[in-house]
């Protein structure tokens, strides 16, 4: 058996950085994931006044008494989490600052978050496409003007990161914050992850209804926080073992993790069973490409639904999967909210373009384990998370 240590959780690292930045004490984040997205978030937090010291035993986050608005634009590249989370901090930042990213990031809207910020007294100037970066955010003259807890209705549409951003910022508002999600809440497991980090830092969010969240006022606080291994990243060696009919041991994976992608092992079992596999992956969108790489070689067809929000990730993942895998002769049908994958003969060689999307590149590399002549363009893009 091959023993593999997978990277730490990107999602937990991002959330721990933001919550630690809002804390009332210095916090050591142990086993953080040092990837492109983390670097972007750290740089943005530094511009807002948070000091981070890299040490052999982790990252020491030193929160300021209050945040300050930087004079320079927060250039966050293609880090969607950083863009949403740092936009969500706007009510806590006196003055004005600009959030921006690369061209792909400028096509990723967050209307629900911007509407909520306006209700909280933030002036939001949209400098590009509607609801997308670049954005100029200016806190009102009295960001603490709410004497009673503000109650906001929030439409998150295709990104739960908008809700997570407000949940984390809410604890620093004078009266806290109540959020009620209207309509569909995708990627619910990532919201659960946000709530678990807040709880670990001493912020107990109440849930008077399934999609109602009451965040109390109070600065989080924790001296140390350890990041567990990443189930999204673990999906790749698990898939590789399935494709090559071998075994791998994945160290330090938490079987009780709140990460939604922990279901991946169960999905592999579904691919081994007779009859078509039907998977609604609304709460685990990041493992869809990994599932597709395996489904190409499964016994029967695999139908994936509930993932329309994959169209506004680093790329339109549904379209890229369909277009690039068709180069191999794959019988793959693109649908509005998912894919239908029918196994059949495939052929190489082929150059597959991940569109600078780390999860596309990893998916195509997995296909290359079973099919000769696969060339993945721009392989360095995996540094975004791996």
């Amino acid at each position: 058996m091959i023993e593999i240590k997978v990277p730490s959780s990107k999602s937990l690292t991002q959330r721990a950085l933001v919550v630690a930045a809002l804390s009332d004490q210095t916090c050591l984040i142990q086993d953080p994931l040092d990837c492109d997205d983390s670097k972007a978030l750290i740089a943005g937090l530094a511009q807002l006044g948070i000091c981070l010291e890299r040490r052999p035993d982790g990252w020491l986050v030193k929160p300021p008494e209050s945040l300050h608005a930087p004079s320079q634009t927060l250039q966050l590249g293609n880090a969607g989490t950083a863009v949403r989370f740092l936009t969500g901090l706007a009510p806590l930042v006196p003055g004005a600052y600009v959030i921006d990213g690369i061209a792909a990031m400028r096509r990723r809207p967050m209307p629900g978050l911007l509407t909520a910020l306006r209700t909280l007294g933030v002036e939001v100037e949209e400098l590009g496409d509607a609801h997308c970066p670049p954005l100029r955010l200016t806190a009102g003259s009295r960001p603490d003007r709410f004497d009673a807890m503000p109650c906001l209705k929030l439409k998150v549409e295709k990104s739960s990161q908008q809700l997570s951003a407000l949940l984390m910022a809410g604890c620093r508002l004078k009266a806290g914050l109540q959020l009620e999600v209207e309509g569909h809440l995708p990627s619910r497991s990532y919201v659960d992850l946000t709530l678990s980090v807040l709880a670990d830092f001493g912020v107990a969010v109440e849930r008077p209804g399934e999609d109602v969240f009451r965040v109390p006022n109070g600065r989080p606080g924790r001296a140390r926080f350890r990041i567990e291994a990443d189930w999204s990243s673990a999906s790749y060696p698990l898939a590789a073992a399935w494709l090559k009919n071998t075994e791998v041991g994945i160290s330090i994976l938490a079987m009780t993790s709140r990460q939604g992608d922990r279901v991946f092992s169960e999905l592999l079992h579904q691919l081994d069973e007779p009859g078509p596999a039907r998977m609604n992956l609304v709460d685990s969108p990041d493992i869809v490409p990994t599932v597709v790489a395996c489904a190409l070689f499964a016994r029967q067809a695999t139908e994936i639904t509930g993932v329309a929000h994959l169209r506004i990730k680093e790329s339109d993942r549904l379209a890229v999967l369909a277009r690039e895998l068709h180069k191999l002769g794959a019988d793959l049908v693109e649908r509005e909210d998912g894919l239908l994958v029918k196994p059949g003969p495939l052929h190489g060689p082929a150059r597959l373009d991940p569109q600078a999307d780390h999860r596309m590149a990893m998916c195509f590399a997995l296909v290359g384990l079973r099919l000769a002549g696969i060339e993945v363009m721009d392989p360095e893009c995996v540094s975004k998370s791996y």
Side-chain angles (χ1 to χ4, degrees), residues 31-106:
D31 296 329
L33 179 65
D34 193 3
C35 64
D36 291 352
D37 278 12
S38 295
K39 291 181 175 70
L41 181 56
I42 289 169
L45 288 171
Q47 287 181 261
L48 295 174
I50 292 91
C51 178
L52 184 141
E53 178 186 338
R54 293 174 179 266
R55 303 190 344 182
D57 55 345
W59 295 344
L60 194 65
V61 180
K62 302 176 182 179
E65 184 59 33
S66 61
L67 304 178
H68 66 249
S71 57
Q72 300 294 318
T73 296
L74 273 64
Q75 284 286 355
L76 301 173
N78 202 18
T81 309
V83 167
R84 274 67 175 265
F85 289 179
L86 297 186
T87 297
L89 295 182
L92 311 177
V93 182
Y97 64 103
V98 176
I99 291 267
D100 200 3
I102 66 171
M105 194 67 241
R106 290 180 171 189

Side-chain angles (χ1 to χ4, degrees), residues 251-266:
S251 61
I252 67 170
L253 274 180
M255 303 307 294
T256 58
S257 171
R258 290 185 176 272
Q259 297 178 58
D261 290 349
R262 68 186 181 279
V263 303
F264 185 73
S265 296
E266 299 171 20

Side-chain angles (χ1 to χ4, degrees), residues 298-319:
R299 291 185 180 187
Q300 300 289 340
T302 302
E303 183 180 23
I304 299 170
T305 61
V307 290
H309 46 312
L310 283 181
R311 296 192 179 280
I312 57 167
K313 296 291 187 177
E314 285 80 350
S315 68
D316 181 339
R317 289 180 176 164
L318 299 180

Side-chain angles (χ1 to χ4, degrees), residues 132-277:
C132 298
L135 302 160
R136 179 176 286 109
L137 306 165
T138 308
S141 58
R142 287 191 58 208
D144 63 345
R145 71 187 188 283
F146 292 100
D147 293 320
M149 178 179 285
C151 300
L152 277 59
K153 295 186 182 295
L154 179 69
K155 291 184 178 180
V156 298
E157 297 179 335
K158 296 180 179 180
S159 174
S160 67
Q161 291 173 0
Q162 299 174 88
L163 173 58
S164 288
L166 292 167
L167 288 171
M168 290 186 288
C171 65
R172 289 290 300 272
L173 295 177
K174 178 182 179 181
L177 179 64
Q178 176 171 306
L179 297 161
E180 180 179 351
V181 176
E182 291 187 313
H184 175 59
L185 174 58
S187 304
R188 188 179 294 271
S189 63
Y190 288 96
V191 176
D192 292 339
L193 207 61
T194 303
L195 296 175
S196 72
V197 173
L198 284 167
D200 287 340
F201 276 80
V203 179
V205 178
E206 297 178 9
R207 300 280 295 274
E210 182 180 16
D211 290 335
V212 180
F213 306 85
R214 292 178 61 89
V215 187
N217 164 263
R219 294 187 69 155
R222 188 181 176 102
R224 293 172 180 266
F225 186 83
R226 186 176 297 277
I227 306 297
E228 66 183 47
D230 190 60
W231 272 98
S232 305
S233 296
S235 72
Y236 305 115
L238 291 172
W242 187 89
L243 288 164
K244 299 299 287 185
N245 193 27
T246 186
E247 293 184 353
V248 295
I250 309 293
S251 61
I252 67 170
L253 274 180
M255 303 307 294
T256 58
S257 171
R258 290 185 176 272
Q259 297 178 58
D261 290 349
R262 68 186 181 279
V263 303
F264 185 73
S265 296
E266 299 171 20
L267 301 179
L268 288 179
H269 288 307
Q270 287 189 43
L271 296 179
D272 282 327
E273 295 173 357

